[in-house]
Structure formats: structure tokens, C-alpha cells
Amino acid sequence: MAEIQASNWIDGKASLPGSDPTKIFDPASGELIGHFQASDSAEVARAVKAAKTSQSHWWALGAQRRTEMLGQVAANLRNLSQSLASIESREMGKPLAMAQEDIEGSADLLEHQISGANDFFAETNSDLGRLVRKPYGVAALITPWNYPVCQVTDVIGALLSAGNTVVVKPSEKAPLSVAALSEVFSCLPPGVVNIVLGNGSTGAALIEHPDVDLVHFTGSVSTGRKVGAAAGGRLIPCFLELGGKDPLVIDEGVDIEWAAEMAVHGSLFNTGQVCTSIERIYVHKKIAESFIAEVVNKASEWTVGPGNDPINKLGPLIDADQRDLIHAQVFEAQLNGAQVLIGGEPIPGPGFFYPPTVVLNPPDDSRLMTEETFGPVITVCVVESFEEGIKRANASSYGLSASALTKNPENIEVASRLNAGAITINGGGTGPEDPPFEPVKASGSGRIFFGPKSLESYTTAYAVNIGEAK
């Protein structure tokens, strides 16, 4: 397959910075698949200028016309899902079918987000005044490598529907599929969406640019603190979705096979490279033995290999550093008394593969229990009671999402006190319509939505108060 030359997309045109190329390798095989050139502050400034210049025209089109054009974006995304998934699978290892399903689902989400724009922007009038909503202006959207396409397309529809223009800066670990999104956005007026490729310096130049009016960042806690500080210094809105160490608390009396399936899928999906992966499991001692046996059985069925082979459920990790971090956490926990029931050693040969791994009773103060793992590791701790499980689940510096399984109505109320941005009990139901998502503690800040209410987050509102003239 031909090597990919990824380029920036600024003001409706491809652009190549003058820096030296950075190579991107397939994490499953080590094969060179493409390269990009990092954008400097001047290139970032060009992108921000294009976004700022186009913003007033984009807003003036009105909600109806923006919705129509963004509907075409969703159609383009759906039509190009196979080719985008192929690039994504090659650059970060995700199984191909999973990548395509994710992207098609993102197109559905985009359509859902923009569906209420006309009603949302209808001014609320009375004899005494009216409520007006307007976009912030230019939004910086900085995204991670684990869902390269969807981390852009799940958010950008709402930003654009709200009347903002956007400069996207993807992770330098998986930029190729995001660069390919220029074809998806080519139906929009020039400058409405701009893509700049680069590293941390590129992202910093974007956040610090004086014409950026809003920041949306998904990534690590350490970088998120810097992003939040920079945005806070400029007094602009900043949405941060950072790391997670998400718990699952399992009560006595639940169906063992069901609980094990929930635990394994939630821990291993996308090779565990998901912010909301289950990374800590607390299971009641009365069902622990049977549950652990079933978890080991189910986890061992997750085949490992390149994402382009449909037989594989687990692809490679993104790079050697991530594999080494995961193994160090597992190894240190084992040295301190944890039992490794399956897995626990990197798979030899080409690629950055790590097997499904089940670790029993790691110490609460081990890195495996306190720091984000982001890999295919299932940690199980046996607890005396459901209440103990909830207490230990909450004893974390993270608070992205949390879940629980229980048949006891009283314990459903106990589980609702889990401290996280989203709580799922017994797999969840229909739930409230378009619920808010607001990470707590070190997992981030800022209240966002994923449906039509997302327009509330990406607009500013003010009242026009009208009195009687004399």
C-alpha cells in the first residue's frame, strides 16, 4: 500500500509545513505507512486566521443552512468510513471492523447533535426582553490517538452547528486518518474547519493564540493541567476530558456469566485503550471464585493480532512506550503480592502486542491501581461487602466514569453515590435524554453533552433587557 503523505488543511487547501518529516509506523508490523510535518507557530497562526476570518460568515448563514451543510459532512463521513477506518487501523492498530463501526456511529451522532439547532437558536422573546445565544468564535480541538477520527467527529459537529469555526490538532501518534478528514470537510466554506498536524509545541501554539476563544482537549492529565492553566490565564472556556481509572463494583447474587462478560468487554475493548475502560474491579467475596474463573475463561478467548485480520479482537498497543508502561505496572504489582492469572508478559515478535492479562488483588497503592493503565489488563480485587467496593472505588484521584452490578434495590442507591462524571448501574437503561457528562477530580472539567444539548456548551448566552422609554 502506498505511503501516506499527510498534510495540513488550512482555508480549504492542503498545506505542507517546512519542517522535517515525522514517520508513522504500523504498530502491528513496524511497516512505514506514512509521514507528516510538524506545524510551527506561524502555520498555526495561518490556520487560526483562516478560522477567524470565516467565522462571521459561517454564523451569518443561520442555523438552518449550517445544519444542511453539516448533514453533508455526516454523509461524507459515512461514505468514507471504510477508507478512514483502514488508515486508522494501520496507524494505531484497531481492528478494522471496529474502526469502521465507530466512524459510522460517529456520523449518526453528528446528525443527532445538529438536529435541534433551529429550535435552539430561536430567540426567547417577551415584552421585557429576550435571550440571545451566540458562538464563542474560534475553537481549538485537540484530540488523542486512541480514537483518531471519532474524537474529532464526535465533537466538531456541535462546535460547528453552534456557529464556531474550528482548528483541529490531532495527536502526533496517529495523525494520518485525521488529515484524511479534509475530504469530509471539503463541502464546508474555506476556513470553517482547519487541520494542523504537529507535536506538543504545535498544540501549545494553538492554545496560546490570542484569537482562539474556546479549547476542547482530550488527553493525559499532565498535559491537561498545562492546557487548563493556559486557557485559564486567558479566561477562555476550556473543556478537559483526561485520564480515567474507572471502577466496576460487583455485588453478590448477580449472574456470574453476565458480570464476567461486562467486566471483560469493558476492560479489553479497543485493547483497553479507552479513557472509560474498566481498570479496577471490586467483586463480593461470596461470588469471587466463580466470577474470577469465568473472567479468566472469557479473557483467554480474546485473540491477539493485527487489526486487518478479522479473527483478532485485540490489536497492538500504540507503541513500545505504552507496552512497557503496562508491563511495568503488572510486574510491580506482582512483586508486591498480586497474582497474575493469565498473560502478564509482552508477546514476542514484531509489533507492540500484549496479551489479555488478569491480575488478582493488586495492592491498593500500586501503580496498577492508582495510575491509568490504558491496556488489556483486568484487575480484580475481592471485597467483603458491596459498600466496601464502593468506598474503594471512590478512593481514587480519577473520576471519569464508574459502574456497578447489583440486584439489591438498596445497593442501587449506594452505587448512585459513585463519584464520577457518568455512572452506569446494571449495564444502564434508556436513562435521561441527552444527559450531561462532567468529569470530576483529575479526570477533567467542563460540562458537555453528546446530543442536541451540546449546543449549550459551545455557545455564550446573554439577556437583552428592555424597559419602557420615557
Side-chain angles (χ1 to χ4, degrees):
M1 195 172 292
E3 184 180 335
I4 299 170
Q5 165 64 72
S7 61
N8 290 346
W9 178 256
I10 298 176
D11 206 18
K13 299 176 183 177
S15 170
L16 286 175
S19 60
D20 293 334
T22 298
K23 296 178 179 178
I24 299 294
F25 297 92
D26 185 334
S29 65
E31 175 191 1
L32 176 65
I33 58 174
H35 61 272
F36 71 96
Q37 291 160 251
S39 303
D40 60 12
S41 58
E43 186 77 350
V44 169
R46 284 207 316 115
V48 174
K49 181 179 179 180
K52 185 176 179 62
T53 301
S54 65
Q55 195 273 321
S56 58
H57 171 68
W58 177 242
W59 170 242
L61 289 176
Q64 178 63 40
R65 182 60 181 139
R66 288 196 302 276
T67 298
E68 292 170 357
M69 298 181 80
L70 291 171
Q72 184 58 55
V73 168
N76 291 348
L77 182 61
R78 196 173 284 111
N79 291 337
L80 293 169
S81 63
Q82 186 173 6
S83 61
L84 291 167
S86 177
I87 300 172
E88 186 173 282
S89 179
R90 293 176 68 205
E91 70 177 337
M92 62 78 58
K94 183 182 297 185
L96 183 59
M98 181 194 303
Q100 185 168 356
E101 182 178 350
D102 290 342
I103 293 168
E104 290 172 352
S106 188
D108 295 339
L109 177 61
L110 196 157
E111 289 175 333
H112 178 54
Q113 285 179 336
I114 66 178
S115 62
N118 288 335
D119 291 338
F120 181 82
F121 283 112
E123 291 186 0
T124 302
N125 296 302
S126 73
D127 293 339
L128 301 177
R130 60 183 180 270
L131 179 68
V132 181
R133 293 186 180 274
K134 288 188 175 181
Y136 283 100
V138 176
L141 177 56
I142 302 177
T143 57
W145 50 262
N146 59 329
Y147 284 84
V149 171
C150 294
Q151 289 281 4
V152 174
T153 54
D154 283 358
V155 177
I156 202 169
L159 284 168
L160 295 172
S161 182
N164 303 286
T165 52
V166 181
V167 180
V168 178
K169 189 272 170 189
S171 169
E172 62 269 33
K173 292 187 177 184
L176 306 181
S177 53
V178 176
L181 283 172
S182 61
E183 188 172 352
V184 171
F185 298 122
S186 62
C187 61
L188 301 178
V192 171
V193 174
N194 306 273
I195 302 169
V196 290
L197 310 180
N199 47 32
S201 297
T202 308
L206 178 57
I207 294 163
E208 293 166 3
H209 195 287
D211 287 332
V212 166
D213 303 297
L214 176 151
V215 174
H216 192 294
F217 172 85
T218 305
S220 69
V221 174
S222 58
T223 303
R225 292 184 190 279
K226 297 175 184 177
V227 172
R234 296 190 49 234
L235 300 179
I236 61 174
C238 182
F239 299 88
L240 300 172
E241 184 182 337
L242 309 179
K245 197 70 187 173
D246 297 354
L248 167 63
V249 184
I250 304 174
D251 202 3
E252 62 178 314
V254 300
D255 182 83
I256 298 296
E257 184 175 358
W258 172 67
E261 180 61 33
M262 297 281 282
V264 171
H265 185 270
S267 300
L268 299 185
F269 186 78
N270 198 27
T271 319
Q273 298 175 129
V274 185
C275 296
T276 54
S277 286
I278 294 171
E279 295 205 358
R280 295 177 295 140
I281 298 171
Y282 301 97
V283 60
H284 197 290
K285 66 178 183 179
K286 290 186 178 180
I287 63 168
E289 184 176 352
S290 298
F291 170 78
I292 292 164
E294 190 63 24
V295 164
V296 169
N297 179 56
K298 289 184 179 298
S300 65
E301 296 173 351
W302 282 59
T303 52
V304 183
N308 60 2
D309 187 339
I311 196 174
N312 296 321
K313 297 182 72 173
L314 287 181
L317 297 160
I318 186 66
D319 56 26
D321 288 344
Q322 186 63 26
R323 182 186 60 188
D324 293 346
L325 181 150
I326 292 164
H327 185 54
Q329 288 189 7
V330 171
F331 184 67
E332 289 169 13
Q334 191 174 20
L335 286 179
N336 287 285
Q339 292 180 265
V340 177
L341 303 182
I342 59 168
E345 292 288 343
I347 297 174
F352 308 118
F353 294 101
Y354 203 82
T357 297
V358 178
V359 182
L360 179 60
N361 289 324
D364 281 346
D365 61 354
S366 65
R367 287 203 296 161
L368 188 60
M369 294 296 285
T370 60
E371 298 180 10
E372 190 170 38
T373 301
F374 229 57
V377 180
I378 304 171
T379 61
V380 182
C381 297
V382 180
V383 293
E384 294 290 320
S385 66
F386 188 76
E387 290 78 7
E388 180 193 340
I390 296 295
K391 182 178 180 180
R392 288 172 67 178
N394 282 335
S396 170
S397 61
Y398 293 97
L400 197 60
S401 70
S403 52
L405 305 177
T406 180
K407 295 177 70 174
N408 185 332
E410 293 181 2
N411 282 345
I412 289 177
E413 284 304 308
V414 174
S416 69
R417 297 196 292 271
L418 284 163
N419 192 9
I423 299 168
T424 302
I425 301 173
N426 295 334
T430 55
E433 184 178 355
D434 200 1
F437 177 67
E438 187 169 3
V440 300
K441 298 188 278 188
S443 288
S445 64
R447 182 176 300 164
I448 61 174
F449 301 84
F450 293 100
K453 286 184 182 178
S454 57
L455 296 172
E456 293 183 9
S457 299
Y458 304 136
T459 54
T460 181
Y462 61 91
V464 177
N465 301 303
I466 304 171
E468 290 188 14
K470 294 183 179 179

